[in-house]
């Protein structure tokens, strides 16, 4: 648990609802991050092809709302099939740049493509899909868009950089989901999100202090101007400029900020993580080690 790891937390806007062009932008961003020495590059919640903003996703609650079905179908068509060509391209990007790549995607199962999932895909430098997590419970308006996830990915994966794992947005408020990561020894905790509120920063500080882990938290940045003119629910965006202002950040295992938070613009945050800090901070508190009582409290994860 020694050495330094350079990470890149990417707050960039997708080419909204255009999967292939968004992957092009992701590839350009990874090229830039790898050029700065990043070994781990992380993108926000459902970056590909876009986070379904509450500004328009709420229209799907209307039984006869014009454009709602068409908007859902467009999002599904532009989502990432796992396995599939877009997932293969993410693997190629990771392999080309020799980085760990963590990408938030709207995911569809090619065998049953009628349901969209909110997923995090972790690609290793050799291109393998090392970890695949689906958001357990969509939040608020998201329940009109995504299906419920499952137990897959509720663990950290061993890598030369440290043990990497994470949760998506408000499932970070689920204590047992967090503890599943703690029990697997998470050291680099990914907290991708679309929450751009001020209170989210307090959540990140708490997670870092509770996990005694580094937290890499990319947040979505999205403007109305990025939507195509023919988007079926375009009228629901009238009068609004910024749909997601960001708030990406990188934190140390004591809850201190190493980079960010970044608001109101695109950018890449970098930090060099000193892994010795993990041991230093766990001297007083280790949530799944000396500060745990497994003979009294026990968690069972049912993976599917």
């Amino acid at each position: 648990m020694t050495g330094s790891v350079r990470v890149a937390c990417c707050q960039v806007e997708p080419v909204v609802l255009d999967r292939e062009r968004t992957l092009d932008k992701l590839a350009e961003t990874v090229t830039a991050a790898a050029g700065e020495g990043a070994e781990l590059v992380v993108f926000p919640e459902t970056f590909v092809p876009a986070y379904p903003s509450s500004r328009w996703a709420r229209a799907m609650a209307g039984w006869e709302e014009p454009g709602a079905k068409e908007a859902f179908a467009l999002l599904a068509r532009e989502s990432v099939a796992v396995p599939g060509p877009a997932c293969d391209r993410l693997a190629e990007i990771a392999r080309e740049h020799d980085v760990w790549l963590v990408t938030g995607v709207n995911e569809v199962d090619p065998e049953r493509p009628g349901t969209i999932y909110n997923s995090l895909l972790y690609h290793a430098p050799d291109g393998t899909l090392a970890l695949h997590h689906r958001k357990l419970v969509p939040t608020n308006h998201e329940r009109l868009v995504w299906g419920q996830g499952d137990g897959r990915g509720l663990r950290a994966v061993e890598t030369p950089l440290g043990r990497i794992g994470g949760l998506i947005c408000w499932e970070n408020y689920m204590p047992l989901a967090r503890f599943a990561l703690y029990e697997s020894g998470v050291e680099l905790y990914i907290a991708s999100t679309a929450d751009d509120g001020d209170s989210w920063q307090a959540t990140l500080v708490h997670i870092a202090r509770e996990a005694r882990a580094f937290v890499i938290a990319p947040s979505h940045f999205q403007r109305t101007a990025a939507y195509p003119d023919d988007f079926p629910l375009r009228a629901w965006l009238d009068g609004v400029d910024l749909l997601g202002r960001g708030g990406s950040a990188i934190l140390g295992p004591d809850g201190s900020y190493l980079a960010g938070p970044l608001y109101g613009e695109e950018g890449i945050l970098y930090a060099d993580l000193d892994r010795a800090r993990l041991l230093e901070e766990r001297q007083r508190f280790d949530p799944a080690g000396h500060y745990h009582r497994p003979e009294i409290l026990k968690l069972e994860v049912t993976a599917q």
Side-chain angles (χ1 to χ4, degrees):
M1 198 177 291
T2 59
S4 179
V5 176
R6 171 157 272 218
V7 300
C9 181
C10 303
Q11 181 169 296
V12 292
E13 187 175 42
V15 181
V16 174
L17 296 170
D18 188 323
R19 180 185 57 238
E20 299 310 314
R21 291 175 63 202
T22 297
L23 289 173
D24 289 342
K25 187 165 185 178
L26 181 144
E28 293 170 2
T29 306
V30 173
T31 299
E36 294 294 328
E39 301 167 86
L40 169 64
V41 186
V42 186
F43 286 84
E45 179 178 11
T46 58
F47 176 71
V48 186
Y51 175 78
S53 168
S54 61
R55 182 73 187 185
W56 60 264
R58 57 187 169 144
M60 295 182 186
W63 194 255
E64 298 294 338
E65 184 62 43
K69 290 182 179 180
E70 292 82 359
F72 180 87
L74 173 60
L75 181 63
R77 285 196 302 270
E78 297 298 316
S79 292
V80 175
V82 181
C87 190
D88 292 343
R89 186 168 181 204
L90 290 171
E92 292 171 4
I93 293 168
R95 187 166 50 244
E96 177 185 353
H97 296 286
D98 194 31
V99 297
W100 277 88
L101 175 61
V102 183
T103 313
V105 303
N106 289 274
E107 179 208 346
V108 291
D109 182 338
E111 297 297 321
R112 292 170 291 278
T115 297
I116 309 172
Y117 300 96
N118 178 341
S119 299
L120 274 183
L121 305 180
Y122 298 68
H123 284 93
D126 65 359
T128 59
L129 182 58
L131 198 63
H132 175 191
H133 173 60
R134 288 175 173 171
K135 188 174 185 179
L136 296 170
V137 181
T139 305
N140 199 37
H141 68 282
E142 297 171 355
R143 300 185 190 202
L144 300 168
V145 181
W146 297 319
Q148 289 194 319
D150 48 44
R152 75 181 73 185
L154 282 178
R155 61 184 176 87
V157 61
E158 186 78 49
T159 83
L161 310 182
R163 293 176 182 169
I164 303 175
L167 297 172
I168 304 167
C169 204
W170 274 28
E171 67 177 354
N172 282 287
Y173 288 130
M174 301 171 71
L176 298 183
R178 293 199 310 272
F179 192 70
L181 297 182
Y182 302 164
E183 282 203 310
S184 63
V186 65
E187 296 168 328
L188 306 177
Y189 188 116
I190 311 300
S192 65
T193 191
D195 189 337
D196 61 358
D198 293 338
S199 61
W200 178 250
Q201 298 302 318
T203 298
L204 297 179
V205 172
H206 174 83
I207 291 171
R209 289 178 57 82
E210 182 180 72
R212 288 307 200 258
F214 293 102
V215 173
I216 302 97
S219 183
H220 92 124
F221 177 76
Q222 194 179 121
R223 298 166 297 178
T224 294
Y227 277 77
D229 292 338
D230 60 354
F231 175 56
L233 295 174
R234 196 70 169 75
W236 286 72
L237 303 177
D238 288 348
V240 178
D241 175 33
L242 203 58
L243 298 172
R245 66 176 182 141
S248 299
I250 305 171
L251 292 85
D254 61 348
S256 63
Y257 281 87
L258 304 179
L262 175 66
Y263 289 107
E265 61 181 328
E266 294 184 275
I268 305 175
L269 299 177
Y270 296 97
D272 295 307
L273 312 183
D274 179 2
R275 295 184 65 210
R277 294 278 308 282
L278 297 167
L279 287 176
E280 292 171 2
E281 295 303 326
R282 290 178 181 183
Q283 180 262 327
R284 296 180 181 177
F285 183 82
D286 182 0
H290 61 75
Y291 218 99
H292 180 37
R293 293 293 302 278
E295 78 281 11
I296 299 173
L297 302 168
K298 187 175 295 186
L299 172 66
E300 178 183 351
V301 178
T302 303
Q304 297 180 4

